[in-house]
Every structure is written in C-alpha cells, then in structure tokens.
C-alpha cells in the first residue's frame, strides 16, 4: 500500500513537471541569418554587376587604344616611306653631281633657262599626285630633264602647298646638275628667303654658295658658306662649307 502511494506521488510530480515545461520557442537567430545571407547575396550580385560594367568599359577603352596604336603605326610607316624616298633622292642627285663634275660641260653659255620655259599644258592633277609624279620621274624613271617642268608646274599650280620648299630644293638640284647656275641659285634662294624653317635650308645655302662661286661671285660665296658654318655648326653641310672656305 505504501509502495502504491509512493508511485502515485512520483507520477504526479512527473506530470506536473511535464505541464510546467516551456513550450518550444521558434529559432529567432535562424531567421536573422537568412536575412543576412539574403543581404550578402544582394551585395555580391551588385558587386558582380559593377565589375562586369567596369570590365566592359575597360574592353572598350582597350579597343580604342588598339585603334589609336594602329593609326599611329600607319602614319609612322607612311612617314618612313617618305623619308626613305627622300634619302634615295639625295643619293641619286649626289651621284649625278659627281658625274657632272668629272665630265666637261657641253651646255652652251647662251642656253635658255629651263625655269623660263614652263610648259603650257592642261593641269588636272591634285597636290599629292603632282608632287609624287615629279619625284617619281627622278627616283623611279631617272628622267631628270622631264622632272624639271613637272616641278615647275607644281610650283605654279600649288604655291601654298607644304611641299613647296622641297619642290624648290629638288628643282634647284636638277638645275644644279645641269650646271644652270642662275636657275639653280634662284630656286635655292627662294627656299632660303621664304622658308627659313625648312630642314633643307643648310644644304640649299651651301649650294647657293657654289652657284655664286661658279658665277665668279667669290665674296658672296664666302659669305654664304660662313653663314652655313655659323647657323648649322653640327651639320654635314657645315663641314662641306668649311672645306670650301679652306679652298678659297
């Protein structure tokens, strides 16, 4: 009887404990974690999108840089071709000068100045075509006499061209080779007087001095050669002028 009473008492206590136990509470921290994960995912997505936009902008800028580099390379190539063409022309004309020096002159003293004989023909070429045609007659075709009227036509029709200083110089060279000292001197003097910034001014001044010497104007020749030495002391033209001065 006593055992039964004790058992009933224990069951009562257990039941009370069960009744007094708190009900299950929902996990608040779990909901907060979900929110943080959602926020992180949103931020990560926004950052990824921003990175994609930046990469697209970088790709566009890189393409523009590549295009600019390509354009610069093309311009550098074209400039090098022009310089190469002029170097070839220098060499060819120097060879002609040397060959003329070693041969007796066969030009009559009363020869007509080619500069005054500018041909009257229709002229439809544009600036670049006209200049290229004149230069190619020298470089490619070796038709020096035919190049003279082409340069004359160029100077006549394109007096404001950026090629005018070069045209005066090459026309002067061609007339110089023919020992037309007056005609050559006129062209060199035009370059020196009207285009003081030309990179051919030193050589033109040197050769103007030679034309003056050939016309028995020794004092003027000396003055011009001294000018070359003073204004262009480090140039090859200055060294040639010094040699001329020593020979006076």
């Amino acid at each position: 009887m006593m055992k039964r009473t004790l058992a009933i008492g224990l069951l009562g206590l257990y039941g009370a404990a069960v009744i007094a136990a708190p009900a299950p509470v929902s996990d608040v921290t779990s909901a907060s974690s979900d929110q943080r994960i959602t926020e992180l995912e949103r931020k990560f997505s926004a950052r990824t999108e921003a990175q994609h936009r930046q990469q697209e902008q970088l790709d566009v800028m890189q393409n523009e840089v590549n295009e600019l580099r390509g354009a610069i390379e093309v311009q550098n190539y074209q400039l090098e071709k022009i310089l190469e063409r002029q170097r070839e022309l220098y060499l060819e004309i120097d060879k002609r000068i040397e060959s003329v020096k070693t041969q007796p002159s066969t030009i009559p003293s009363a020869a007509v100045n080619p500069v005054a004989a500018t041909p009257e023909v229709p002229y439809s070429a544009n600036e670049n075509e006209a200049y290229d045609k004149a230069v190619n007659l020298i470089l490619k075709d070796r038709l020096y006499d035919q190049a003279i009227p082409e340069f004359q036509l160029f100077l006549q029709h394109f007096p404001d061209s950026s090629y005018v200083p070069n045209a005066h110089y090459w026309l002067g060279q061609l007339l110089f080779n023919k020992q037309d000292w007056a005609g050559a001197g006129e062209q060199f003097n035009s370059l020196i007087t009207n285009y003081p910034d030309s990179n051919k001014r030193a050589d033109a001044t040197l050769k103007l001095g030679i034309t003056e010497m050939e016309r028995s104007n020794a004092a003027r020749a000396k003055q011009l050669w001294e000018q070359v030495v003073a204004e262009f002391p480090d140039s090859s033209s200055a060294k040639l002028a010094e040699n001329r001065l020593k020979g006076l």
Side-chain angles (χ1 to χ4, degrees):
M1 182 71 176
M2 184 176 179
K3 290 182 179 180
R4 183 176 180 183
T5 302
L6 180 60
I8 292 171
L10 290 173
L11 287 172
L13 289 173
Y14 178 77
V18 170
I19 294 171
V25 179
S26 60
D27 192 348
V28 176
T29 59
S30 175
S32 178
S33 296
D34 289 342
Q35 291 177 353
R36 287 200 298 270
I37 291 173
T38 301
E39 180 65 18
L40 289 174
E41 288 177 346
R42 185 186 65 78
K43 290 182 178 179
F44 179 77
S45 177
R47 180 177 299 177
T48 301
E49 184 178 352
Q51 290 176 342
H52 286 164
R53 287 197 300 270
Q54 290 177 348
Q55 185 61 49
E56 289 175 355
Q57 292 174 351
L58 288 174
D59 290 341
V60 171
M61 293 175 64
Q62 185 63 50
N63 290 335
E64 291 176 350
V65 169
N66 291 338
E67 291 177 0
L68 288 173
R69 285 177 177 172
I72 291 172
E73 289 176 359
V74 170
Q75 291 179 350
N76 288 340
Y77 173 79
Q78 293 174 342
L79 177 60
E80 181 58 32
K81 294 297 290 182
I82 291 173
L83 294 175
E84 181 181 352
R85 182 174 63 183
Q86 292 185 347
R87 285 193 293 267
E88 292 174 353
L89 187 54
Y90 290 145
L91 294 174
E92 183 61 30
I93 289 179
D94 286 341
K95 290 178 183 178
R96 293 280 296 176
I97 292 173
E98 292 301 321
S99 65
V100 168
K101 288 180 179 178
T102 59
Q103 296 176 3
S105 176
T106 58
I107 301 175
S109 58
V112 177
N113 185 349
V115 177
T118 304
E120 297 293 335
V121 294
Y123 205 72
S124 60
N126 63 40
E127 176 182 335
N128 292 327
E129 290 173 348
Y131 185 76
D132 288 343
K133 180 180 179 181
V135 171
N136 287 334
L137 283 171
I138 298 173
L139 291 179
K140 294 182 178 181
D141 304 325
R142 306 294 192 263
L143 299 175
Y144 307 107
D145 288 345
Q146 294 184 24
I148 291 175
E150 290 299 330
F151 277 115
Q152 292 167 348
L153 281 171
F154 177 83
L155 291 171
Q156 176 184 342
H157 288 275
F158 305 102
D160 299 323
S161 169
S162 60
Y163 297 129
V164 165
N166 285 0
H168 278 301
Y169 180 81
W170 299 131
L171 180 55
Q173 284 276 26
L174 292 167
L175 298 175
F176 187 96
N177 293 349
K178 293 175 69 67
Q179 298 185 1
D180 178 4
W181 309 122
E186 180 181 348
Q187 298 303 316
F188 292 139
N189 189 60
S190 293
L191 186 153
I192 295 166
T193 303
N194 300 317
Y195 305 94
D197 296 330
S198 171
N199 60 0
K200 294 181 174 59
R201 188 166 180 267
D203 197 46
T205 306
L206 169 72
K207 288 173 180 173
L208 179 59
I210 296 174
T211 66
E212 294 292 347
M213 179 61 73
E214 292 293 339
R215 290 187 286 170
S216 301
N217 297 327
R220 175 61 175 158
K222 181 175 181 293
Q223 179 186 6
L224 289 165
W225 293 334
E226 288 175 344
Q227 180 180 340
V228 174
V229 174
E231 293 186 14
F232 310 96
D234 299 325
S235 66
S236 59
S237 298
K239 294 181 176 59
L240 294 173
E242 289 175 348
N243 293 335
R244 292 276 179 174
L245 288 169
K246 291 177 182 177
L248 292 177

